Amino acid sequence: MIDETGPTDWARPFDLVGVTAAVLDPQGLVIGWSRAAEQLLGYTAQEVLNRPAMALVAKEQSRIVGVVEESRTGEGWSGSVPLRHRSGGRLERFLQVSPLVDSTGRTCWLVSAAGGNACGKWTGSRLIQLMFEPFVTRSPVAVAVLDTNLRYVWVNDALEYHGGLPRERRLGRCISEALPNVDVRDMETQMRRVLKSGVPILDYETKARIPTPRSHKYAWRVSFFRIDDEIGRVQGVWYMGTDVTDSWRARERLLLLNEAGARLGSTLDVIRTAKDLVEVTVSRFADSGVVDLLDIALGDLDPVHRAANDTPRMHRAAMESVLALADDGIGVGEMVHYPSDSLAARALKEDRVIVEKVPSAAKDPLGPHSVVAVPLRARGAVLGVVRFARGPCPDPFEEDDVLLAEELAARAGLCVDNARRFARERKAATVLQRSLLPRVLYEGPAAEVASRYLSATGGHGLGSDWFDVIPLSGARIALVVGDVVGHGYHAAVTMGRLRMAIRTLASLEVPAVELLARLDDLVLNMQEDEETTGGDAAQTVAAASTGARCLYVVYNPVTQRCTVARAGHPPPAVIRPNGTVDFPDLAAGPPLGLGALPFESAEFELPEGSLLALFTDGLVSTLDQGDDGLARLASALVQAEPDPEASARALSARWCRARPRTT
């Protein structure tokens, strides 16, 4: 029982203990209003005193009347009631309604929003708070709370530890103020977006160099959430983040390895391979890269193991740098002489990876602070050394970086060795092929002869085409041109065997059709022999033999007639004395090696003063797509000079500019 007092005095006891409470008279008018209630609903005491409490309830009247009647008949009532905030919002609160008798015996009602341990429901909430707060504070996941101005108001232990800053450096500051040397504009943009929309942003990944003792570049996966109060007012934003640096670095290394594997395997050129290695790694893995190769990597000798006291003598094959890092002043293509105690010399001598950290006292502002040297090895032999250095990047080479450098060097070394072996085989095949082609053409009264051999790659490649001029009896001559499928040593061998067979058959005066038939039998026998031998080389020779084509022409200067037979080869071009060009209509015939298919011959007149042009398919099949190669060749031959040598010179110059495959 309490004494009757003025309306403003009813709330004083509750203000002393900070209870959210209101006192209602028997008619349901508010006669007491605590400061905690004012803070909860936004109404001042002057706005609610002596007014119906029903106006503060955001629920249908019938339900509230039922609560009142239940309270009158019993000892009180408790339950969840939706309340109306002064701003118009709703908030749910658990209310306790208790009878209160004054000195006159009048029954009033105390309505309190229970807190602390007032009731079972709030006791449960308190327990959750007691459990959740230590969890967030000590969680390994970094958590921070920021206000609507994106200023820190709370951070947990994990963010303080991993973020590299004490709490006092963050609290009350924006992210950009706490981390002035880190670009956080995108992160702030994401938080403003969450503040505006209320839609969380999950698993946003950001990378930055945080000022920790290790000063590494870190990757974080962060989720942002907006904070609203009970009536829906925006109070700020909070985020939680996890350190995903290790997985990010592993992913970056895997991407680098994949790209390096694709680029390094795209060429069979030693210098290009070395250049690809430094181009793909500099700026992503290191700030500078240098590849130096031993003589054996650039020559045609097999790699050999050097004596332990040998001084490396190498060639600078490639170098790349993001900045003008201090180097040895040696340019690409120049010779390199390593001192015996240098990093590269030690890596070659000991045949292992060596990592060197330059002491801070000896560091040049533009010089490297961490260097790794890796031998380039392939099939048990050393071909060179690659050096990676970091200067502007403050991260030193660590164990995982060294493993990545070894893998990159292993792939590059294998590609360099493949390119070296290919160059050696190509050189041997080129020598073989050149030796099989005629060194001196026909010099006789029957005709004037000129020839040009144009390689598929501008004069440095190796084709499988051949030509020959064979003197016959009666002042006649045989003109032969042909090609086989593929390039390289095996194609050159096949070409040589076919050329020798044709010379032998021609010397026996075998007619053109019979000559191609016997040549076809020879190719079939070659295929059977190679199939019996087996192996990849046998398959290569068999494929080259099957795709062989040939054009055989016998010219008789007495009768001025030509006898022609062809096996899948383009027909010759005839330039008449009046300047017209035509291609005789000849049966194509099958390529050599198919068997059981007939060959046909034809004759046509070749009057004095005419030019006869024999060419391989490569001359007309590599012209611009959609154009008629024979028509373009005819157009060029119309302008040919009467002199065969001058015509050959002009035509070869024109087709070199057109980048033919082979002629």
Side-chain angles (χ1 to χ4, degrees), residues 518-539:
R518 294 191 180 185
L519 205 62
D520 187 59
D521 292 337
L522 172 64
V523 172
L524 288 173
N525 292 333
M526 291 170 58
Q527 295 174 17
E528 293 176 359
D529 292 343
E530 298 301 338
E531 289 174 358
T532 302
T533 304
D536 294 339
Q539 295 178 6

Side-chain angles (χ1 to χ4, degrees), residues 206-227:
T206 180
K207 291 171 280 292
R209 190 171 299 281
I210 301 175
T212 61
R214 297 176 64 188
S215 187
H216 279 317
K217 189 173 184 179
Y218 285 84
W220 288 80
R221 185 172 291 122
V222 189
S223 297
F224 304 95
F225 307 88
R226 193 173 76 180
I227 303 174

